[in-house]
Amino acid sequence: MDMSFSLNFLIYIQNIFFNQNQKDLRFPYLSTRIEFNEDFKLNYKELWNEISQGISNNNKNDLKIFYEEKDLFYQRLFVVDADNLKNFNEICKTFKVWWDSPAGHFSIERSVDEIGYRLYWDLANLLAQKGIEPQKELNISLIYDRCLLGQFEVFQNFIILPIRSFLTKKEGEIVYRLQKLFY
């Protein structure tokens, strides 16, 4: 299991977008008004799918996407002007500070550590019982909140799960969902 830097950054941006347009606030809350591209939802979905596909195929390093292609996030999701560039850079900085702190990456990982370990064992046992030998390693990428705009496409050996699915669903349901990847 890993915590995708780029996908979690997209969730971070998604939540800022929704916080400006609804009353049910999500983390992070920013009091600054940010101008998003008028095609934000469509562009977000496309970017989510591109990044997910790139990570699933292992042809793009997750951190490299953020550091080398971060202009894609800005140009496709925000109105391009000097004020928004300043706001975008501030969003990047606040995300990195949060992510590198014990409240970010580490807390996401630790919140599902024991459950994730049991999940792998339960899945391995279930596949062994059914005589299924995986041809590829299963990669699970964790995100800190639900993705409301992108699709959770299940790739052959890669799935994206919000930590909420570990905390609110029975482990058996997740194992059942994951075993479908091997058929």
Side-chain angles (χ1 to χ4, degrees):
M1 242 180 282
D2 72 320
M3 285 48 66
S4 169
F5 191 91
S6 298
L7 294 176
N8 276 292
F9 182 61
L10 276 172
I11 296 295
Y12 198 82
I13 292 171
Q14 167 202 264
N15 288 355
I16 293 169
F17 173 80
F18 279 121
N19 286 344
Q20 290 187 175
N21 300 302
Q22 64 186 26
K23 293 180 182 176
D24 183 27
L25 299 177
R26 305 173 153 302
F27 174 79
Y29 174 78
L30 300 178
S31 60
T32 305
R33 186 93 180 140
I34 299 180
E35 290 186 62
F36 291 96
N37 186 305
E38 67 182 43
D39 294 324
F40 177 85
K41 290 180 180 181
L42 176 63
N43 291 347
Y44 184 98
K45 183 178 180 177
E46 290 172 354
L47 192 56
W48 177 271
N49 291 340
E50 288 170 27
I51 291 172
S52 299
Q53 184 72 45
I55 294 170
S56 76
N57 292 336
N58 288 324
N59 62 5
K60 288 196 173 184
N61 179 295
D62 188 36
L63 282 173
K64 249 183 169 179
I65 292 169
F66 179 80
Y67 285 108
E68 293 180 7
E69 300 177 30
K70 102 174 162 182
D71 286 342
L72 286 176
F73 295 94
Y74 172 65
Q75 293 171 358
R76 290 173 69 181
L77 301 177
F78 297 83
V79 169
V80 177
D81 67 22
D83 287 336
N84 263 347
L85 180 57
K86 180 181 172 195
N87 289 333
F88 176 73
N89 287 329
E90 191 67 20
I91 289 169
C92 291
K93 187 184 233 177
T94 61
F95 177 77
K96 286 189 256 180
V97 167
W98 168 70
W99 189 255
D100 291 338
S101 77
H105 169 258
F106 179 74
S107 67
I108 293 171
E109 183 177 41
R110 296 299 298 162
S111 69
V112 298
D113 196 29
E114 185 179 325
I115 297 168
Y117 182 75
R118 283 195 319 260
L119 175 69
Y120 272 116
W121 277 107
D122 290 348
L123 183 60
N125 289 333
L126 181 66
L127 293 175
Q129 288 172 2
K130 294 187 178 223
I132 299 170
E133 188 169 323
Q135 301 301 311
K136 291 185 174 182
E137 181 179 301
L138 173 63
N139 294 307
I140 299 173
S141 191
L142 294 174
I143 53 176
Y144 80 92
D145 201 357
R146 294 179 301 157
C147 180
L148 303 172
L149 298 174
Q151 295 177 348
F152 282 113
E153 290 186 44
V154 177
F155 302 97
Q156 186 177 15
N157 64 326
F158 177 73
I159 188 167
I160 302 163
L161 293 173
I163 58 174
R164 180 180 300 228
S165 65
F166 284 88
L167 304 175
T168 59
K169 292 185 178 181
K170 296 179 181 174
E171 289 174 50
E173 291 177 38
I174 297 173
V175 170
Y176 177 75
R177 186 173 165 199
L178 292 177
Q179 79 172 347
K180 292 180 179 182
L181 295 172
F182 299 100
Y183 293 119

